[in-house]
Amino acid sequence: MSLLKLSHISAFYGPSQALFDVHLSLEEGQVLALMGRNGMGKSTTVKVICRMLKNRGGSIMFDGRDMARLKSFQAAKSGIGLVPEGRRCFSNLTVHENLIAASRPGEWDFAAVARLFPRLEERRDQLAASLSGGEQQMLAVGRALMTNPRLLILDEATEGLAPVVRQEIWAAIARLKAETGMAILVIDKSLKELGTVADTAVIVEKGVSVWHGDFGDLTPEVTDKYLGV
């Protein structure tokens, strides 16, 4: 049974329809790349999964449970951890306070996050506002991990970062895949880096899932058609 399964999802912002027919499936321990050009529905799909936006049609199942009636905090409690686009750290809290703000019992505590991102240990008592963009991104990932999720969602987690920091984030994702049974859903534009971690892929075009399969089966023709400029 899939850990996460979306079937024929439609969703609206007011009267404007953003998703028309999105479907995806993610197994325990799998990494899925959710791909598509800007404005095609990737982040909206994430909002539906996290119950920040209600779907008007279709179904969303997580660990065999129908998520339709859940609120966003209930989705988080059920085991969905989100690293949102733009990081959104609590700027007036310290690194440690950010990490414990939404923590839940489990193997991911401050010590575990500090092993993944040693720089957060060094910055433990600094305000999040004083961190670099890369350090804030590490903090956002660590904050999601400390909810001890079964599904980790990373929405453009390397966007706008320096190349050396991007590599740190990708190395952390690879380590999570290798060392945990966590399912991971990644939105990113870099096919090269996605290819090092992703097992499967779904491409969304104008709110519709237009391709899905093993990441290794993506052809240049498919990527040019749906991901090219």
Side-chain angles (χ1 to χ4, degrees), residues 10-77:
S10 63
F12 290 72
Y13 292 107
S16 300
Q17 188 166 1
L19 301 181
F20 294 83
D21 186 19
V22 171
H23 50 90
L24 61 82
S25 180
L26 181 58
E27 308 290 335
E28 294 268 13
Q30 236 180 15
V31 178
L32 183 147
L34 181 58
M35 306 165 70
R37 296 185 183 94
N38 290 340
M40 293 299 171
K42 304 184 301 295
S43 292
T44 299
T45 300
V46 167
K47 288 179 181 179
V48 169
I49 294 169
C50 295
R51 309 315 293 152
M52 294 183 288
L53 180 67
K54 300 297 183 183
N55 54 299
R56 193 174 296 183
S59 66
I60 172 171
M61 305 291 293
F62 182 71
D63 194 25
R65 181 183 185 186
D66 187 346
M67 303 283 282
R69 297 183 181 277
L70 296 192
K71 300 183 182 299
S72 58
F73 76 90
Q74 293 170 318
K77 283 186 174 182

Side-chain angles (χ1 to χ4, degrees), residues 43-222:
S43 292
T44 299
T45 300
V46 167
K47 288 179 181 179
V48 169
I49 294 169
C50 295
R51 309 315 293 152
M52 294 183 288
L53 180 67
K54 300 297 183 183
N55 54 299
R56 193 174 296 183
S59 66
I60 172 171
M61 305 291 293
F62 182 71
D63 194 25
R65 181 183 185 186
D66 187 346
M67 303 283 282
R69 297 183 181 277
L70 296 192
K71 300 183 182 299
S72 58
F73 76 90
Q74 293 170 318
K77 283 186 174 182
S78 72
I80 299 174
L82 173 63
V83 182
E85 186 177 12
R87 298 181 283 274
R88 302 183 194 176
C89 300
F90 300 112
S91 61
N92 60 337
L93 299 182
T94 67
V95 166
H96 185 254
E97 289 168 342
N98 264 274
L99 290 173
I100 65 173
S103 62
R104 301 179 68 227
E107 64 177 289
W108 285 101
D109 54 15
F110 181 81
V113 169
R115 286 193 294 272
L116 186 66
F117 296 120
R119 217 174 308 181
L120 296 182
E121 174 66 60
E122 299 169 10
R123 306 286 192 268
R124 176 187 175 117
D125 297 320
Q126 285 186 221
L127 293 179
S130 71
L131 302 180
S132 69
E135 289 166 346
Q136 288 184 13
Q137 190 62 71
M138 295 174 193
L139 180 57
V141 175
R143 181 180 59 190
L145 288 172
M146 282 189 61
T147 67
N148 279 281
R150 295 181 64 190
L151 167 63
L152 179 67
I153 301 175
L154 301 109
D155 190 354
E156 301 283 8
T158 66
E159 182 76 16
L161 300 181
V164 65
V165 181
R166 287 172 57 87
Q167 291 309 309
E168 285 188 65
I169 300 297
W170 284 113
I173 296 170
R175 186 170 163 188
L176 291 172
K177 178 182 179 180
E179 298 179 5
T180 75
M182 194 182 303
I184 303 174
L185 188 155
V186 185
I187 297 176
D188 204 274
K189 296 180 177 66
S190 176
L191 285 171
K192 179 180 177 182
E193 277 81 12
L194 283 171
T196 66
V197 296
D199 301 299
T200 60
V202 171
I203 299 176
V204 178
E205 173 86 0
K206 296 181 180 178
V208 177
S209 295
V210 293
W211 191 94
H212 60 91
D214 292 342
F215 193 91
D217 291 338
L218 277 170
T219 64
E221 291 76 18
V222 170

